[in-house]
């Protein structure tokens, strides 16, 4: 490996990913994901948009404080208060970065009503201001792929002169194609004075299904930072998927001789965890991390795979941390074995948390013959999602359903006080949710409800995910149980607990920001 | 549009897509999908692999008979009986095609133990044989992207001389990248005598997330047929997604001036239907057809979209047939309105089917305030999936669940005879499935269980999908109801009904074929 072939991985799961409608994550979830990204070897973590809300500010600050090796980056619009607020959050990191941006295409220039010269001046001011605060500054011309080439060269040069150390070229609408993506980076490297002194980044969206190829084409042309998210999470069709660019560079090192610092064996755990906390499931046929990515059906292919694994596989499941020997534990497994298994799965838990998970594990092992890795992961995630400190807790539930109608008897503890109600509804889930609503009245609307069996077999645990919206605030809840109805109620109540926390915050959604209103 | 810029769309949802583990479709579903593809303007439909099973043979034959404009293609290994069988099935089409293939890379040559000369001879024999039967012959060197260039040129030339009219270049393991994909087509066009007389096709897999870009790069280099599937369905990470290549060619016609014959407004309905019958859900952040593909969250983006839709959108939802005015019908809507709505959604139903759907619609409208397009789609699909002719029918269900345990009382009609049982289990779903098992004992294992709310709100219908496996046979069942437990039982029973049909057939799974055993 030569240094000039090192490609930096900039993960924006917590900023551009979390910006997807419905993917809002809790503070604790953001910290956990950030720690996993840091451990995986992500070079730069974009942790949030500090001025967007108190919650974003707190998350970026805490992620900065806990960071080990990763650079911690915050986003800021081209306004001085944004940049100051961003610095206040990221300055706690060992290696902080300020990322500031403005939309430079004709469509984007029209909205704040700045002409080319006015915008150029704004860029000079804001990048200089950022650089006075922090010696690691990234600047992005939003919608770069639809910006006039001459103007793009002009503003990139201004940003470099003003002190930007990384220039990111976003394909904001997912519009470009590989050749065009490469040509743009090549043009900038050739035409902009000082371009060889800084790092060019590529930031692609997947609207036409080409984000991965566009990112790699930019790298071949000279970009040395790829902006991406786990599972390709992001608005619309999402961002470039980290797992795809990293594995493509590894598998096709022969034609793309570039290296990243990613420990690929951590990919699968991160993918699962991000799917869980965002409530965005990964489709079976998703590249690298889909459930079927390593599965073969047809006789021809099976025959080939049995004879020589390379016949149809270009990667091994172990490369991304996918274990094939999966049967984990039985009812006779002890606490030490559980701790070892958790460590193996990437979870380091404290003694109290282990105790709690062990109780749940024993209860599950009594009911279920075979306890798989996925079951253990579901238990840990359930424990993390629903704690004893919550305002609302489910104490007892009895549901009747079927052809003759549905009703629920529910007992909950609300801030220490026990309440019991009876409710009916259209289906058992509706009856239960109506019961919860009687106990804790609210106007939140259910946006998403889904159930997935964690493993095979009719006695499997099911993971229930719900997403709710109230006055623009979006919250998720999850729970796992062999009883899908009980899990549904716990997930719903979990979401309400998140909502109670969000109501108390001055959340992002309470003051929708606009880059153009200032 | 000039003729030389016309790109043919070859859809292999029913062959390479249906080959995905668990995506097995019923005969009726295959016919329905084929009719939809034909109507959408797909140039060539690969309808199956006729020698693989009696079921495949019957499906390809029927699809050939019902075909209107599309060429109907069947797959055959490089063996004379395969090719004969394929011809027997496709010959009924107005425009039939035989597609024969053999693995030409070193890894694939090693398995049947043929040396280069022996394989070349086999190719000459089999392609000539196919061409004697049919004047439209496609030949594929499987794993072409890992075949030595000299040998690839040699065998492509042989196939052309033997009468192949289309040469397909498969990236069987999803290994290539755009530049390499283009270079390969360019090399073949330059080096192979007669290459300008035939059509080159590109067939990509998405293992590294680059199938769309690789396909388009091949087209830019001179390929004029793209092989793809709806939703990118297919083994492992799937095939090139039809919706992505078609929309990319449309949106970026400025830099890729190629045309297809696809009516893009049919995309969304086909995507939904394929997701339903295959049991492969589409992830929210899937390009073009994901639930979020046209959704915006962040304040900045929303502001931009409100001011000018082009700021963040490069396509309109209507381009793919996605209606934004979605509130469909209420309890006062009549049968004519329902028929009109169904037609609008792409469903042409007979009088009997309309009657059945109308009854279900009225029942739903009584329970649910707003009946959306998605609800209607779920009703139609439920009606198609579970008919009155089934061996097993659910008559009555009562379930108790919650903190104190779970039990089910179930009455079913088995071939006309009524049976009632009581069962317990780990969770309400397990209790119900145990009850079904008491009434109809079987050894099928539940591989997949998932529930998705059809629309928002706690009173939404939920669609339950189950996938079961017995002795290598894989079957799916689906049902929709506001009662998730009742829908679970109906989906499970639906899968068992499919299994009963499959047991009676000589299915593909009963005689796993191998190209190397002959």
């Amino acid at each position: 490996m030569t240094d000039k072939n090192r490609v930096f991985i900039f993960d924006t799961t917590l900023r551009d990913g979390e910006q997807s409608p419905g993917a809002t994550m809790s503070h604790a979830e953001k910290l956990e994901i950030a720690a996993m990204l840091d451990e995986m070897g992500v070079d730069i973590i974009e942790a949030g948009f500090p001025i967007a809300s108190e919650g974003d500010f707190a998350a970026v600050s805490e992620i900065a404080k806990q960071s080990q090796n990763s650079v911690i980056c915050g986003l800021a619009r081209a306004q001085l208060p944004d940049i100051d607020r961003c610095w206040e959050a990221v300055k706690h990191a060992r290696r902080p970065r300020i990322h500031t941006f403005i939309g430079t295409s004709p469509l984007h220039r029209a909205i704040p009503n700045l002409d080319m010269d006015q915008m150029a001046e704004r860029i000079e001011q804001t990048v200089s201001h950022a650089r006075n605060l922090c010696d690691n500054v990234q600047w992005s011309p939003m919608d770069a792929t639809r910006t006039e080439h001459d103007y793009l060269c002009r503003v990139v040069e201004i940003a470099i002169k003003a002190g930007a150390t990384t220039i990111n070229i976003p394909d904001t609408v997912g519009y470009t194609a590989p050749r065009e993506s490469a040509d743009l980076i090549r043009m900038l490297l050739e035409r902009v004075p000082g371009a060889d002194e800084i790092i060019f980044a590529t930031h692609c969206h997947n609207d036409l299904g080409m984000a991965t190829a566009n990112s790699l084409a930019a790298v071949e042309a000279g970009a040395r930072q790829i902006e991406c998210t786990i599972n390709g999470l992001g608005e619309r069709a999402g961002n470039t998927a980290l797992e795809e660019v990293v594995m493509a560079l590894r598998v096709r090192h022969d034609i793309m001789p570039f290296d990243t610092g990613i420990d690929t064996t951590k990919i699968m755990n991160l993918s699962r965890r991000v799917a869980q906390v965002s409530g965005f499931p990964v489709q079976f046929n998703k590249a690298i991390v889909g459930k079927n990515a390593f599965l073969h059906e047809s006789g021809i292919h099976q025959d080939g795979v049995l004879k020589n694994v390379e016949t149809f596989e270009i990667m091994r499941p172990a490369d991304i941390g996918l274990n094939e020997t999966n049967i984990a534990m039985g009812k006779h497994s002890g606490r030490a074995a559980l701790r070892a298994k958790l460590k193996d799965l990437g979870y380091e838990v404290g003694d109290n948390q282990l105790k709690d998970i062990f109780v749940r594990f024993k209860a599950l092992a009594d009911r279920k013959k075979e306890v798989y890795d996925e079951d253990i992961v579901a238990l840990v995630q359930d424990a993390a999602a629903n704690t004893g400190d919550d305002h609302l807790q489910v104490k007892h539930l009895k549901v009747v359903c079927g052809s003759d109608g549905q009703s629920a008897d529910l007992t909950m503890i609300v801030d220490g006080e026990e309440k019991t109600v009876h409710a009916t509804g259209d289906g058992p889930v509706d009856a239960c949710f109506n019961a919860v609503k009687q106990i804790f009245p609210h106007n939140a609307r259910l946006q998403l409800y889904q159930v997935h069996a964690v493993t095979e077999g009719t006695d499997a645990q099911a993971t229930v995910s719900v997403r709710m919206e109230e006055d623009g605030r979006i919250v998720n809840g999850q729970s796992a149980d062999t009883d899908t109805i009980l899990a549904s109620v716990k997930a719903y109540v979990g979401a309400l607990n998140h909502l109670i926390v969000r109501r108390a915050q001055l959340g992002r959604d309470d003051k929708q920001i606009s880059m153009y209103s200032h």
Side-chain angles (χ1 to χ4, degrees), chain A residues 10 97-100 136-140 165-166 168 225 227:
Chain A
F10 175 107
R97 174 182 292 187
I98 296 173
H99 176 197
T100 179
N136 189 335
V137 173
Q138 172 168 329
W139 180 73
S140 297
T165 46
T166 299
N168 175 42
Q225 175 178 305
E227 306 206 357

Side-chain angles (χ1 to χ4, degrees), chain A residues 1-8 253 257-261:
Chain A
M1 178 183 132
T2 56
D3 234 5
K4 72 178 181 27
N5 285 353
R6 175 69 157 80
V7 172
F8 297 108
H253 202 263
F258 305 101
D259 300 282
T260 72

Side-chain angles (χ1 to χ4, degrees), chain A residues 123-124 127 139 154-165 167:
Chain A
I123 292 164
E124 202 286 325
V127 175
W139 180 73
R154 177 179 164 194
V155 289
V156 166
E157 183 180 349
I158 289 170
I160 293 174
K161 284 203 175 126
T165 46
I167 301 285

Side-chain angles (χ1 to χ4, degrees), chain A residues 200-410:
Chain A
F200 275 103
T202 176
H203 176 111
C204 298
H205 281 268
N206 203 35
D207 296 71
L208 297 175
M210 293 192 280
T212 296
N214 291 339
S215 302
L216 296 176
V219 167
E220 291 187 292
R224 284 296 175 272
Q225 175 178 305
I226 297 176
E227 306 206 357
C228 49
T229 62
I230 301 291
N231 299 340
L233 191 70
E235 283 196 294
R236 306 188 318 276
N239 292 63
T240 304
L242 181 146
E243 63 274 16
E244 293 179 6
V245 286
V246 167
M247 290 308 291
L249 287 177
R250 186 179 154 136
V251 171
R252 296 314 308 276
H253 202 263
D254 57 327
I255 58 167
M256 296 184 285
F258 305 101
D259 300 282
T260 72
I262 299 295
D263 174 358
T264 63
T265 65
K266 309 274 189 204
I267 286 177
M268 202 62 220
N269 273 339
L270 253 159
S271 168
R272 286 191 186 124
R273 191 66 186 124
V274 168
Q276 177 84 5
V277 306
S278 65
F280 275 55
V282 170
Q283 68 189 22
F284 303 162
N285 52 330
K286 167 79 177 66
I288 316 293
V289 293
K291 210 179 165 86
N292 279 26
F294 291 93
L295 270 186
H296 304 273
E297 162 98 332
S298 69
I300 290 171
H301 287 198
Q302 283 177 358
D303 197 25
V305 171
L306 291 178
K307 286 185 173 125
N308 184 341
V309 73
E310 285 174 50
T311 317
F312 288 98
E313 280 189 8
I314 56 178
M315 298 165 269
R316 288 167 309 140
D319 293 343
I320 59 159
L322 192 62
N323 287 325
E324 290 184 287
T325 54
N326 183 326
I327 293 184
M329 320 258 297
K331 57 163 82 178
H332 304 297
S333 306
R335 203 174 297 198
L338 179 63
R339 189 195 285 274
K341 170 56 78 177
L342 287 171
K343 203 172 165 209
D344 198 37
L345 293 170
Y347 295 97
E348 302 272 358
V349 296
D351 283 341
N352 276 342
Q353 211 189 337
L354 180 68
K355 203 169 145 187
D356 176 48
I357 295 166
F358 189 68
V359 171
R360 295 175 191 229
F361 163 70
K362 280 294 188 188
L364 181 67
D366 279 343
R367 282 178 291 161
K368 199 167 178 299
K369 255 182 302 183
E370 294 160 329
V371 178
Y372 296 91
D373 285 1
E374 291 88 338
D375 286 313
I376 310 264
V377 171
L379 280 181
V380 178
Q381 295 182 344
D382 192 66
N386 307 290
T387 73
D389 301 333
D390 292 329
H391 291 269
L392 310 175
Q393 290 173 46
V394 178
K395 190 172 177 199
H396 188 266
L397 175 72
K398 182 180 176 182
V399 173
V400 177
C401 63
S403 322
D404 302 330
Q406 295 82 24
S407 68
D409 293 284
L410 173 67

Side-chain angles (χ1 to χ4, degrees), chain A residues 78-143:
Chain A
Q79 289 159 12
L80 306 189
D82 269 55
I83 293 167
D84 291 338
R85 190 77 176 144
C86 179
W87 173 243
E88 286 304 311
V90 297
K91 70 178 183 191
H92 305 288
R94 295 185 184 184
R95 304 166 65 199
R97 174 182 292 187
I98 296 173
H99 176 197
T100 179
F101 74 100
I102 195 164
T104 53
S105 67
L107 279 164
H108 283 269
R109 288 199 307 268
I111 296 172
N113 199 19
L114 293 178
D115 67 23
M116 283 186 174
D117 293 336
Q118 289 166 328
M119 185 168 281
E121 197 180 327
R122 171 83 70 92
I123 292 164
E124 202 286 325
Q125 284 168 353
T126 48
V127 175
S128 298
H129 184 72
R131 183 58 195 262
N132 285 335
L133 296 169
C134 181
D135 63 6
N136 189 335
V137 173
Q138 172 168 329
W139 180 73
S140 297
M142 182 162 69
D143 208 17

